[in-house]
């Protein structure tokens, strides 16, 4: 039975996920490298600890939600030996295909179960327990992680039993999310720089066949000049690189994602790395 969950990483996503786990009645212990981001979770009912090894010591399920594969590997190399033998590692950070392989091998070295579980959805769905979990791994581990996935998500898609199937779908989904964000930025920049009101772009597509709720969401952010991060630009650059690698591995032309990666990197280098990825709109000037 799963009752105790450790969450390693309480950034934008991990903090919301930890709150959803507490709300579902699970015993939640959290750790974050910068303690100030974990501390407020004590008011929500989580146990906040100063060391990842302490966080995982009694965990039935360990959830990692850190920036990239190097961060996850660094933390779990320290923590894995301290997990109970029955513990299952649910890896929710976006780490790509090679990254997933590397982390699954790390879990295997310690004889711990590993479920690849990247998520779809940003800050608000994480806070509301409405993420979509893209799970893959041995089906016999499913009952152990399902209470966790039910708490953080509105839906779990079991993509397959191969390590990395969750990430295969996640990268396809993020290729769509990143492309539509960059395309929205391009349309807004083009309208603006040709001298028409860019709001008219969003108003004109609204409700029609070419409309998209995501274009409306990110377009509104761009026009309001409010780039409070929901999906940070630095993370989007990282994901674009992972998608380019996956396209190459699949034998597909990476040209579109390379262009998106270039635009997002340009905006990040211009000082917007910590802002929402909608700040890609700055790359067009
Ligand atoms: P975030 O707010 O930037 O949080 C990143 C977390 O990683 C923080 O806890 C940070 O710790 C930690 N970290 C970074 N480098 C570290 C290291 N070397 N050692 C230990 N901890 C380290 O990012 P996020 O948006 O929550 O994203 C987390 C993961 O979820 C990423 O893989 C991202 O791609 C994925 N994701 C994000 C979204 C989204 O919309 N935001 C959606 C789906 C998936 P500090 O606080 O100390 O810096």
């Amino acid at each position: 039975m799963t009752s105790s969950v450790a969450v390693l990483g309480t950034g934008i996503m991990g903090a919301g996920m930890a709150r959803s786990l507490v709300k579902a009645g699970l015993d939640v212990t959290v750790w974050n490298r910068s303690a100030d981001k974990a501390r407020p979770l004590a008011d929500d009912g989580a146990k906040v600890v100063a060391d990842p090894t302490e966080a995982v010591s009694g965990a039935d399920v360990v959830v990692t939600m850190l920036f990239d594969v190097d961060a996850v590997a660094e933390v779990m190399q320290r923590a894995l030996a301290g997990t109970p033998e029955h513990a299952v590692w649910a890896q929710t950070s976006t780490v790509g295909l090679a990254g997933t392989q590397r982390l699954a091998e790390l879990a295997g070295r310690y004889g711990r179960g590993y479920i690849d579980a990247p998520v779809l959805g940003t800050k608000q769905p994480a806070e509301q327990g409405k993420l979509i979990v893209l799970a893959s791994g041995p089906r016999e581990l499913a009952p152990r992680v399902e209470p966790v996935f039910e708490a953080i998500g509105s839906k779990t898609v079991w993509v397959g039993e191969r390590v990395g199937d969750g990430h295969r779908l996640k990268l396809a989904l993020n290729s769509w999310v990143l492309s539509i964000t960059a395309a929205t930025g391009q349309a807004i920049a083009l309208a603006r720089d040709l001298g028409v009101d860019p709001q008219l772009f969003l108003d004109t597509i609204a409700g029609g066949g070419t409309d998209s709720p995501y274009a409306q969401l990110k377009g509104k952010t761009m026009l309001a000049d409010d780039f409070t991060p929901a999906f940070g630009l630095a993370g989007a650059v990282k994901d674009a690189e992972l998608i380019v690698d996956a396209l190459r591995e699949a034998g597909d032309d990476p040209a579109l994602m390379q262009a998106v990666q270039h635009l997002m990197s340009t905006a990040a280098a211009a000082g917007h790395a910590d802002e929402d990825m909608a700040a890609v709109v700055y790359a067009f000037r």
Side-chain angles (χ1 to χ4, degrees):
M1 209 189 85
T2 294
S3 63
S4 176
V5 184
V7 179
L8 305 182
T10 58
I12 293 173
M13 298 295 290
M17 288 160 59
R19 280 192 196 97
S20 297
L21 289 161
V22 172
K23 275 187 223 148
L26 293 157
D27 285 336
V28 181
T29 305
V30 297
W31 168 84
N32 195 63
R33 180 182 62 177
S34 312
D36 58 311
K37 282 193 207 157
R39 222 170 280 125
L41 290 161
D43 296 337
D44 298 286
K47 182 178 174 198
V48 181
V49 297
D51 188 273
T53 312
E54 189 185 346
V56 303
S57 63
D60 301 312
V61 174
V62 176
V63 174
T64 44
M65 197 37 152
L66 301 162
F67 183 70
D68 63 5
V69 63
D70 288 336
V72 179
E74 192 186 313
V75 170
M76 287 306 276
Q77 260 152 12
R78 275 201 281 156
L80 263 171
T83 55
E85 269 179 32
H86 71 275
V88 178
W89 176 7
Q91 204 306 105
T92 63
S93 333
T94 307
V95 298
L97 300 183
T100 298
Q101 195 61 42
R102 178 176 156 197
L103 297 176
E105 282 168 14
L106 180 63
R109 249 178 271 149
Y110 289 85
R112 299 298 186 266
Y114 183 89
I115 294 289
D116 171 34
V119 297
L120 189 65
T122 57
K123 182 177 161 63
Q124 205 185 12
E127 294 282 351
Q128 296 170 338
K130 288 192 175 157
L131 295 168
I132 297 174
V133 182
L134 310 169
S136 65
R139 281 312 289 254
E140 67 268 20
L141 295 181
R144 311 263 298 281
V145 290
E146 258 154 12
V148 171
F149 295 167
E150 276 163 22
I152 63 171
S154 58
K155 180 160 91 170
T156 299
V157 181
W158 280 94
V159 189
E161 293 212 42
R162 273 190 307 173
V163 167
D165 278 347
H167 257 84
R168 290 182 179 93
L169 181 58
K170 168 68 180 172
L171 295 176
L173 288 161
N174 268 22
S175 78
W176 168 243
V177 169
L178 266 54
S179 299
I180 203 167
T181 303
T184 303
Q186 177 177 261
I188 283 179
L190 183 60
R192 178 196 64 201
D193 298 337
L194 288 175
V196 294
D197 180 357
Q199 180 64 49
L200 289 172
F201 157 64
L202 294 178
D203 293 348
T204 309
I205 61 169
T210 58
D211 197 10
S212 136
Y214 210 71
Q216 294 291 345
L217 178 78
K218 291 299 175 190
K220 200 171 148 200
T221 302
M222 292 170 195
L223 293 175
D225 228 8
D226 173 7
F227 298 105
T228 307
F231 186 152
L233 189 56
V237 171
K238 180 251 313 171
D239 286 4
E241 285 163 2
L242 296 175
I243 295 163
V244 167
D245 289 346
L247 285 159
R248 287 207 176 101
E249 188 174 324
D252 293 333
D253 189 335
L256 176 58
M257 194 46 54
Q258 282 173 321
V260 170
Q261 197 270 345
H262 167 74
L263 290 163
M264 291 194 164
S265 298
T266 302
H272 304 286
D274 294 333
E275 297 178 353
D276 190 79
M277 68 168 163
V280 68
V281 69
Y282 287 112
F284 290 92
R285 269 256 163 120

